[in-house]
Amino acid sequence: MSPNNSISNNTAGAKPRARTKKTHTTLPMVIDPALLPQVGQLLDRILGILPRLFHQLLHPLLHQMYKLLPANTFWPSPRRVQTPATVYFIRENGRPIDCVVWIQQNVQLLWNNGAFGKGILSRSNPTWLLRQIRRSTGRIDDGFGLVFPEDRTRHRRQLRPFARDPEVSVDDQSDADPEMEPVQLSPCETLFLHQTQVIVPIDSETKLPVPFTDLWTAFTVADEHLGIKYAAYFYYRARGWAVRSGIKFGSDLLLYNGGPEFSHSVYSVVVRQRHQEVGEEELQGLKDTWQYLFALNRVAAQAKKILVVCYVDPPVDENKVTDPSQYTVEELVVTRFNPNAKKE
């Protein structure tokens, strides 16, 4: 699924800037400090003073020596984080038909570096513990002027003319247990983080690592279209987008620059499968109509997003369906034609 295999087409009214192209993948990383930072600074000065000829001779020698030492010996080094994830299989007659994946470690790291997961007691970012600490201290915010999305939602509900009686919420709990709010991963997030070796799924019953094929089997039983959705998810993640669920806007995916904490989503993506041997009108999965497409486009336009229809063709070889790089992806950017904006 390289950029050469993807085709971006624009309909009437679409602009070239609407192409969903980025160049890097955002994965959770930590920076290990240098063990001998002073030696690293000295080497930087020496390499900066030496002529280019000596620099070219000395650099390969230092590179070979550096391979025998820890990566952060002289300079800070990024390191990929591996986080254990608990997998709860849902079985029927002994056969897994779905599973739920929770993580309780490095949750903020996963959120800040790619917006992975959702706190089960929060709207998105797991902030329940911070809200509890803030409530116990009597502060309106967290001390840095931060008001959480849950606060804004509660405030808007109180301003409604026919506001209901306040309900008991999870914020009213007295005990601030850090383990009370695990982060749940979606099926696409679980598969992506497993393939990139960011998480280590552990079966909640056997306490053994769960292979990728077992997760794929359980997820595809619950959702037969997961293959094309994961291929599209992987396609956009590989291009640096923070990908979240688009169910709030009637789509499959939302694409963010960095994540919901930094900006609103730019694109609303609908994923569809199209076989090469049939025409464009015959779509697999959900049967789209022009009315349905117009409704999606109107919702996206009202939310200041660009609607993208992402067509995904699975590989011919069924043994390669678990490899997202074997799928072919084609993007179609849809915009409304505004005659008033096109007047000369």
Side-chain angles (χ1 to χ4, degrees), residues 25-199:
T25 304
T26 303
L27 291 175
M29 307 283 285
V30 294
I31 305 297
D32 292 329
L35 300 177
L36 301 173
Q38 296 179 349
V39 177
Q41 295 174 3
L42 179 61
L43 290 175
D44 289 336
R45 292 179 182 177
I46 294 175
L47 293 176
I49 295 175
L50 289 176
R52 180 176 298 180
L53 178 61
F54 290 97
H55 181 276
Q56 292 177 351
L57 295 175
L58 187 60
H59 188 272
L61 179 62
L62 289 175
H63 182 69
Q64 293 297 327
M65 181 182 68
Y66 194 68
K67 289 168 114 180
L68 303 176
L69 300 173
N72 61 326
T73 302
F74 303 129
W75 299 280
S77 175
R79 174 174 52 86
R80 186 176 300 177
V81 176
Q82 281 198 326
T83 301
T86 306
V87 181
Y88 300 89
F89 282 102
I90 302 173
R91 291 182 169 87
E92 184 178 85
N93 298 326
R95 176 173 172 261
I97 58 173
D98 201 352
C99 65
V100 178
V101 182
W102 283 1
I103 58 174
Q104 290 184 319
Q105 299 179 20
N106 300 322
V107 293
Q108 283 299 326
L109 183 66
L110 288 170
W111 176 260
N112 295 334
N113 295 270
F116 294 98
K118 177 193 176 300
I120 64 172
L121 302 180
S122 304
R123 290 185 59 181
S124 53
N125 184 13
T127 59
W128 178 84
L129 181 60
L130 294 178
R131 300 199 307 271
Q132 286 297 99
I133 296 175
R134 180 199 60 181
R135 180 175 176 270
S136 63
T137 58
R139 292 178 179 268
I140 298 178
D141 52 43
D142 67 342
F144 299 94
L146 176 63
V147 178
F148 299 105
E150 291 79 6
D151 301 328
R152 300 190 187 97
T153 300
R154 179 178 293 185
H155 179 66
R156 285 197 298 265
R157 289 175 178 173
Q158 293 174 351
L159 294 179
R160 292 175 182 171
F162 301 101
R164 297 178 296 179
D165 295 333
E167 301 176 355
V168 178
S169 67
V170 293
D171 287 357
D172 298 327
Q173 303 294 329
S174 58
D175 297 330
D177 185 1
E179 298 184 357
M180 185 172 177
E181 185 185 28
V183 169
Q184 182 168 335
L185 299 176
S186 69
C188 289
E189 288 175 334
T190 302
L191 297 175
F192 179 80
L193 293 177
H194 192 0
Q195 276 199 319
T196 53
Q197 300 179 356
V198 175
I199 65 171

Side-chain angles (χ1 to χ4, degrees), residues 177-241:
D177 185 1
E179 298 184 357
M180 185 172 177
E181 185 185 28
V183 169
Q184 182 168 335
L185 299 176
S186 69
C188 289
E189 288 175 334
T190 302
L191 297 175
F192 179 80
L193 293 177
H194 192 0
Q195 276 199 319
T196 53
Q197 300 179 356
V198 175
I199 65 171
V200 181
I202 304 297
D203 193 324
S204 61
E205 298 179 358
T206 63
K207 307 302 181 184
L208 297 176
V210 180
F212 182 85
T213 53
D214 290 0
L215 291 173
W216 181 274
T217 301
F219 286 138
T220 51
V221 170
D223 183 4
E224 61 180 354
H225 302 294
L226 179 68
I228 61 172
K229 293 179 182 178
Y230 177 57
Y233 180 93
F234 188 93
Y235 174 84
Y236 291 115
R237 276 287 183 184
R239 279 148 183 78
W241 293 101

Side-chain angles (χ1 to χ4, degrees), residues 240-271:
W241 293 101
V243 187
R244 304 285 295 174
S245 172
I247 190 172
K248 183 178 180 180
F249 299 97
S251 60
D252 295 304
L253 305 173
L254 295 177
L255 307 185
Y256 291 86
N257 276 312
E261 293 289 304
F262 306 101
S263 64
H264 291 285
S265 58
V266 183
Y267 299 99
S268 180
V269 182
V270 179
V271 182

